[in-house]
Amino acid sequence: DTGVSQDPRHKITKRGQNVTFRCDPISEHNRLYWYRQTLGQGPEFLTYFQNEAQLEKSRLLSDRFSAERPKGSFSTLEIQRTEQGDSAMYLCASSLDGTGQFFGPGTRLTVL
Amino acid sequence: QKEVEQNSGPLSVPEGAIASLNCTYSDRVSQSFFWYRQYSGKSPELIMSIYSNGDKEDGRFTAQLNKASQYVSLLIRDSQPSDSATYLCAVKPSGGGADGLTFGKGTHLIIQP
């Protein structure tokens, strides 16, 4: 039974560039979540999907951020026109019907 | 704004003793509560969930919930150096289609050998 996987694990980009991250949830899990975590803080919720439907978006998810889960399996999170304030760990989690959420290893983004 | 409060620590506990971690939350209608452990440089790992008032035990871990006081705690018995980590309290709102967790900032626990 494999856990949640994320790709890439690290991303360094220049300000103004677009980046895209991928998350593959635990295979039988129907819900998928994106969070962002900065140093010394707990994870902050961004958005979640039930199957392919995006059901909730945080105020943190500005119009530069978009997430998709086209076939209800893997998900992508895109950040357009990156800013230095976007530097953080981007965490993906999955759950079965809203029970405990299991996190992937995260993608660490550095915006120069 | 829904908030989850934890003492950031560090909380230092001798090996073999009981570590007690506390969390309060502001949203009175919250129904689901979770404790995560996060080692430095790693992602959070789910260790306990609790949904009803009272105690829930799993091995060396006991979660306690008091909804009237809006208080959740985690006890770690027979603390080991490998328990040294940041412990995150997380709360899920009730109903309305919301499913995102609200996390506290975490308590940094140090188990002294």
Side-chain angles (χ1 to χ4, degrees), chain B residues 37-97:
Chain B
R37 178 176 62 198
Q38 187 170 30
Y39 292 113
S40 180
K42 302 294 186 182
S43 61
E45 173 191 6
L46 179 64
I47 53 173
M48 289 287 288
S49 59
I50 187 166
Y51 306 100
S52 304
N53 279 330
D55 295 359
K56 178 181 178 183
E57 186 175 322
D58 184 1
R60 296 187 297 112
F61 298 99
T62 299
Q64 299 175 317
L65 174 60
N66 184 327
K67 290 184 180 180
S69 299
Q70 295 174 237
Y71 179 90
V72 192
S73 65
L74 179 71
L75 302 178
I76 307 175
R77 289 182 300 283
D78 188 24
S79 298
Q80 303 296 311
S82 60
D83 294 326
S84 298
T86 295
Y87 288 80
L88 297 161
C89 174
V91 175
K92 189 165 76 167
S94 175

Side-chain angles (χ1 to χ4, degrees), chain A residues 12-55:
Chain A
I12 300 174
T13 191
K14 293 183 179 179
R15 188 176 54 187
Q17 298 294 304
N18 299 343
V19 294
T20 300
F21 309 141
R22 176 179 170 128
C23 171
D24 287 86
I26 294 171
S27 58
E28 65 269 25
H29 284 185
N30 58 345
R31 297 189 186 188
L32 185 149
Y33 311 79
W34 286 99
Y35 291 83
R36 180 175 68 187
Q37 187 176 25
T38 54
L39 194 64
Q41 304 294 316
E44 296 174 296
F45 171 72
L46 295 177
T47 189
Y48 101 91
F49 294 83
Q50 179 163 308
N51 300 313
E52 65 274 12
Q54 189 173 19
L55 296 186

